[in-house]
Structure formats: structure tokens, C-alpha cells
Amino acid sequence: MGCKEVILYQAVKLVNEMLAKGYRLNSYTYSTIVNSLCKVGKITEADGLLGKMKSVGCVPDVVAYNSLMNGFCFARENG
């Protein structure tokens, strides 16, 4: 696992901790992490985070959906 992935997983862990403590995150925060997950090829995790985003009442924005679609296309082309 590379340095970027370690930092990314720390960010995901922090988001999960914040949610567990009752903090509400905005779409910018979720979209940033979804985008980062897609860039390192973690499409399943990004999709799961998008689902979590919707389940807590945060409406995904165009950045989150575009990141996920680009991730799926990249995975299809390279996998």
C-alpha cells in the first residue's frame, strides 16, 4: 500500500469516526474522498461511501457522481 492510500484510509477512518460521533458532513467532504478513492482504484469503497452519504441524508453532488463514473470507466478499460 502506497503513501497516498495510507493517508486516504486515515481520512476514511476519520470520516467514519466523525459520523459515529454524530457530526454531519457536507457533500464537499464526501465528494473529495469519493474522488480520491476512485483515483487509487478503490471503486467499491467509493461506491459504498456514496451509499453511506445518501443514507445519512447528504445529497451527492455532480463531483461525486462524475468521480464514480470515471472510476468505473477507468476500471473497465484497465481491468
Side-chain angles (χ1 to χ4, degrees):
M1 186 179 305
C3 184
K4 287 182 183 180
E5 289 177 336
V6 170
I7 292 170
L8 180 57
Y9 280 111
Q10 289 173 345
V12 171
K13 181 180 175 187
L14 178 62
V15 165
N16 288 332
E17 289 173 7
M18 291 173 72
L19 291 172
K21 291 181 179 182
Y23 291 99
R24 292 186 50 104
L25 305 176
N26 60 23
S27 62
Y28 181 80
T29 303
Y30 281 109
S31 295
T32 300
I33 296 175
V34 166
N35 186 41
S36 298
L37 285 166
C38 289
K39 284 184 177 181
V40 297
K42 303 296 181 183
I43 309 304
T44 303
E45 290 87 344
D47 192 31
L49 186 59
L50 191 77
K52 184 180 285 189
M53 178 182 186
K54 292 191 271 186
S55 74
V56 297
C58 187
V59 178
D61 60 11
V62 69
V63 174
Y65 283 117
N66 280 341
S67 296
L68 199 58
M69 293 306 295
N70 287 336
F72 280 124
C73 290
F74 181 78
R76 184 172 161 233
E77 291 172 2
N78 295 305

